[in-house]
Amino acid sequence: VGLDTLFPGAGLGEVFDESSEFRAALRRAAREDRCDESSPVRFDMTSSAQGSWFSRRPAAATHGVLREALGASAPTGDEFYAKIGGLTLDGVAPRTGHFIDIVGGPGSRRLARYAWHQDRGGDTEAVTVMLGFPAASRQRGCGVFSHVSPLSHLVVHEADAEGDNSRPREFSDERGERRFLDVDAIPEASIVRPGYGRGRELIVYSDARVVHSAPDAIHRESLWRFM
């Protein structure tokens, strides 16, 4: 999904693609408007910070950044978050209100291995929207968005000894027999690597129907996740 598709006529796709200063200002404004006010890392741009895109606080800082860059065509800050969080898949939009600015660098780094998981274990209607912040202007290709692997069956989750229930473990096959998903043995042919670029700044996926991981080669400043 492209920013220009979501905000037609605003010129947002161009300035987002070409201005690292705009992207940095937008991230900082989001932390002011939508991240937890009590978080000790709220304005530490090298650490991930979270909050709610449902927040009733007026998104004044975000509106200011958008207005300065786009002029009268700019959406308000509240419209900006509502439009992104309102993207749907099969008629279903993100519904928990959870927002996080996930720091992924900055710059390139390579993972030793994937860490496949789901964010909303057991929620069969969970939908996630991601907005990518590239490491460089006019960047194209992989390394910004999470990689995903589609599932043939819905899975159930059981917490491990540490209480982590993000790694799907069990599903029933066509005969109703219990089988287990080995998330450490996802075949290469099953991995989808979404590409980033102008007109492809956002992705939408069903958290229940895929497992996902940070990319094997990360090349981004951060990643916004709306749930």
Side-chain angles (χ1 to χ4, degrees), residues 2 6 17-18 23 27 45 68 76 84 92 102 111 140-141 155 161 166 179 195 205 208 210 224 226:
L6 202 56
D17 188 45
E18 296 186 357
R23 294 191 302 272
R27 287 185 58 216
M45 306 308 289
E68 181 177 355
T76 68
I84 296 174
V92 180
I102 304 169
L111 295 180
R140 306 291 185 266
V155 294
S166 67
R179 298 180 62 187
Y205 65 87
V210 303
W224 282 5
F226 293 71

Side-chain angles (χ1 to χ4, degrees), residues 37-174:
E37 294 177 284
S38 61
S39 171
V41 296
R42 184 181 178 199
F43 295 116
D44 177 0
M45 306 308 289
T46 64
S47 298
S48 299
Q50 58 189 323
S52 174
W53 63 271
F54 281 174
S55 175
R56 294 182 179 181
R57 298 200 314 266
T62 303
H63 186 206
V65 170
L66 293 170
R67 181 78 183 210
E68 181 177 355
L70 304 175
S73 65
T76 68
D78 294 328
E79 290 169 345
F80 178 71
Y81 295 112
K83 278 269 194 178
I84 296 174
L87 284 169
T88 64
L89 183 66
D90 297 329
V92 180
R95 59 185 183 180
T96 70
H98 185 262
F99 170 82
I100 184 169
D101 177 26
I102 304 169
V103 173
S108 295
R109 65 185 178 93
R110 185 169 294 275
L111 295 180
R113 59 182 295 179
Y114 282 111
W116 299 106
H117 64 284
Q118 292 177 319
D119 294 315
R120 295 279 298 166
D123 185 349
T124 59
E125 293 189 349
V127 169
T128 298
V129 175
M130 289 182 168
L131 171 63
F133 285 75
S137 295
R138 295 176 288 280
Q139 182 175 320
R140 306 291 185 266
C142 299
V144 175
F145 294 124
S146 297
H147 292 175
V148 300
S149 182
L151 299 175
S152 60
H153 298 72
L154 294 176
V155 294
V156 297
H157 293 243
E158 296 176 356
D160 60 19
E162 288 75 38
D164 177 15
N165 72 340
S166 67
R167 286 162 60 88
R169 290 170 171 78
E170 180 185 326
F171 66 92
S172 296
D173 65 14
E174 289 80 358

Side-chain angles (χ1 to χ4, degrees), residues 9-31:
L12 183 54
E14 179 179 0
V15 69
F16 192 89
D17 188 45
E18 296 186 357
S19 174
S20 60
E21 292 81 6
F22 171 77
R23 294 191 302 272
L26 190 60
R27 287 185 58 216
R28 186 170 182 85
R31 289 177 177 236

Side-chain angles (χ1 to χ4, degrees), residues 179-196:
R179 298 180 62 187
F180 291 88
L181 173 67
D182 183 358
V183 293
D184 294 321
I186 301 293
E188 172 67 26
S190 297
I191 299 174
V192 178
R193 297 173 169 86
Y196 172 90

